[in-house]
């Protein structure tokens, strides 16, 4: 009997020692084996190294803890502590932090980098007001239109049904700008295109490749609609459980790894486009004068954006930096 008691005591002792440090549970919808998965594992390894094993970042990838709305709820309730969040997830925490993802506000990487560097502090403040600390940001590319029939100008798009984020505010923005918006969940896009419910959607070329989108929508309009950026966030109470002496270095290293994602993504995306071109992809060039028409959509939509999704204060701040950059 004493022997059994000793074994049970030893098991409890070992179990307690194994979890003596701080465990942070991080969720993501990114598939296992994806670049995001690889980078999350790298971050977890770095957290262990920096904290001398005192902080363990436990990963739940591939949507195993639900979609991003569920992840946000779980973080607020304490069942999950952190997330590698897409732009849609960010919007669920703070719509203002989604501001630069609005269509036709910024037009290229250089302009995005300038405005984002100016706005990052505002975005992080907005996230913190909602109870989340931002540990790092990752630029992940530009969304483009993929359609059944060619699209070059805004008028071409107005003739087709466009699959839009199920967030009613986003759908209303596109509708108010004169487009035929069809709210569809991301997982339903292919079925919507196949059935004819929608004719167009917008995703990054890398996402289009992974989805096999060109089978239903072989035309890509060669204009960048909006940048897509993501964030590593942690619920504030969980962050406060992390020993203070490690926090600055953990945040710094997470930010560095996140920032390096885009260089890898650009190479992968370039390869993906070449593969899609050999398959079925048709790239529709957009002349300079028509590009100006697309950018005008962003200007025309300023009142709609600030009324439906982004606070006027943040929207105006963002546009001031856009104008500042273009005057350089």
């Amino acid at each position: 009997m004493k022997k059994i008691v000793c074994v049970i005591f030893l098991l409890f002792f070992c179990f307690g020692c194994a979890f003596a440090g701080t465990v942070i549970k991080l969720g993501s919808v990114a598939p296992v084996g994806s670049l995001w998965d690889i980078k999350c594992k790298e971050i977890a390894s770095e957290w262990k190294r920096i904290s001398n094993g005192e902080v363990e970042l436990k990963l739940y990838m591939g949507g195993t803890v639900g979609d991003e709305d569920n992840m946000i709820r779980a973080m607020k309730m304490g069942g999950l502590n952190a997330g590698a969040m897409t732009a849609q997830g960010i919007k669920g925490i703070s719509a203002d932090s989604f501001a630069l993802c609005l269509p036709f506000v910024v037009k290229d990487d250089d302009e995005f980098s300038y405005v984002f560097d100016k706005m990052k502090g505002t975005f992080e403040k907005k996230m913190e007001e909602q109870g989340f600390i931002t540990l790092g940001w990752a630029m992940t590319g530009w969304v483009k239109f993929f359609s059944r029939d060619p699209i070059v100008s805004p008028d071409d798009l107005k003739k087709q049904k466009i699959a839009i984020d199920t967030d009613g505010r986003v759908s209303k923005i596109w509708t108010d700008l004169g487009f035929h918006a069809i709210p569809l969940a991301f997982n339903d896009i292919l079925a919507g295109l196949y059935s004819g419910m929608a004719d167009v959607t917008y995703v990054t070329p890398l996402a289009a490749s992974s989805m096999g989108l060109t089978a239903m929508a072989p035309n890509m309009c060669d204009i960048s609609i909006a940048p897509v950026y993501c964030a590593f966030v942690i619920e504030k109470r969980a962050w406060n459980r992390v020993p203070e002496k490690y926090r600055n270095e953990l945040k710094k290293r997470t930010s560095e790894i996140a920032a390096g994602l885009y260089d890898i993504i650009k190479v992968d995306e370039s390869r993906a486009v070449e593969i899609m071109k050999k398959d079925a992809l048709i790239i529709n060039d957009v002349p300079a004068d028509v590009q100006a028409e697309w950018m005008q959509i962003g200007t025309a939509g300023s009142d709609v954006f600030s009324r439906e999704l982004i606070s006027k204060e943040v929207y105006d701040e963002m546009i001031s930096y856009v104008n500042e950059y273009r005057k350089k």
Side-chain angles (χ1 to χ4, degrees):
M1 183 67 180
K2 287 183 179 179
K3 191 174 182 179
I4 294 173
V5 171
C6 286
V7 170
I8 293 172
F9 176 81
L10 184 61
L11 287 172
F12 272 99
F13 177 79
C14 292
F15 182 82
C17 288
F19 294 90
T22 302
V23 176
I24 299 297
K25 293 174 285 186
L26 180 144
S28 175
V29 296
V32 173
S34 66
L35 177 60
W36 274 94
D37 180 43
I38 293 167
K39 289 301 176 180
C40 284
K41 287 174 180 172
E42 182 180 350
I43 290 169
S45 177
E46 287 293 274
W47 278 39
K48 184 176 182 180
R49 179 187 65 81
I50 291 165
S51 69
N52 300 307
E54 290 183 41
V55 182
E56 178 187 358
L57 190 61
K58 199 167 184 179
L59 306 179
Y60 298 86
M61 307 300 291
T64 54
V65 288
D67 62 21
E68 291 188 320
D69 286 341
N70 288 329
M71 284 167 52
I72 292 167
R73 284 192 288 271
M75 282 188 274
K76 289 179 178 179
M77 295 174 66
L80 192 67
N81 310 123
M85 310 293 292
T86 67
Q88 297 303 320
I90 292 169
K91 179 159 57 64
I93 296 171
S94 164
D96 280 337
S97 298
F98 182 76
L100 273 170
C101 290
L102 295 176
F104 306 113
V105 173
V106 292
K107 59 185 178 182
D108 57 36
D109 281 343
D110 290 339
E111 190 164 284
F112 168 78
S113 294
Y114 181 86
V115 179
F116 185 79
D117 284 347
K118 299 282 189 179
M119 294 295 298
K120 185 167 68 171
T122 296
F123 293 161
E124 292 181 355
K125 181 182 176 183
K126 295 289 184 180
M127 299 282 271
E128 188 166 1
E129 286 172 357
Q130 298 304 314
F132 291 85
I133 302 297
T134 308
L135 301 176
W137 297 91
M139 169 62 167
T140 59
W142 294 77
V143 292
K144 296 178 182 287
F145 291 119
F146 287 82
S147 57
R148 183 174 288 107
D149 298 321
I151 292 173
V152 174
S153 71
D155 284 342
D156 294 332
L157 181 60
K158 287 179 179 179
K159 297 172 186 174
Q160 302 188 50
K161 295 171 288 187
I162 177 170
I164 301 293
D165 178 355
T166 53
D167 185 326
R169 297 169 299 177
V170 176
S171 179
K172 191 172 190 308
I173 287 171
W174 283 97
T175 300
D176 286 356
L177 290 172
F179 299 99
H180 189 170
I182 304 295
L184 275 178
F186 184 79
N187 291 340
D188 295 331
I189 288 174
L190 281 177
L193 290 168
Y194 181 79
S195 68
M197 182 183 296
D199 307 305
V200 189
T201 191
Y202 53 89
V203 294
T204 65
L206 193 58
S209 175
S210 66
M211 295 166 66
L213 195 60
T214 52
M216 303 297 169
N219 286 278
M220 184 181 85
C221 177
D222 198 19
I223 189 168
S224 297
I225 302 167
V228 179
Y229 48 93
C230 304
F232 289 86
V233 301
I234 184 168
E235 198 273 332
K236 193 183 294 186
R237 292 167 301 179
W239 185 238
N240 289 338
R241 288 197 287 109
V242 173
E244 188 174 0
K245 61 184 176 181
Y246 299 128
R247 288 181 205 160
N248 287 341
E249 187 61 23
L250 292 176
K251 186 173 182 179
K252 178 175 179 290
R253 192 68 188 108
T254 303
S255 181
E256 289 170 349
I257 293 171
L261 272 166
Y262 191 38
D263 287 339
I264 302 171
I265 286 170
K266 284 190 287 187
V267 173
D268 288 350
E269 185 163 278
S270 179
R271 290 174 182 158
V273 169
E274 290 306 312
I275 291 170
M276 287 191 292
K277 283 165 65 176
K278 290 177 182 177
D279 184 11
L281 183 66
I282 303 164
I283 299 177
N284 299 290
D285 294 328
V286 180
D289 58 330
V290 181
Q291 289 182 31
E293 289 182 35
W294 284 111
M295 297 308 292
Q296 185 59 33
I297 296 292
T299 303
S302 61
D303 288 342
V304 183
F305 295 146
S306 59
R307 185 173 66 248
E308 297 295 337
L309 194 62
I310 309 300
S311 70
K312 189 174 189 311
E313 173 191 3
V314 169
Y315 187 85
D316 289 347
E317 180 185 0
M318 176 176 65
I319 295 302
S320 74
Y321 292 132
V322 172
N323 292 334
E324 183 176 283
Y325 178 82
R326 293 177 185 176
K327 288 177 182 176
K328 291 175 64 179

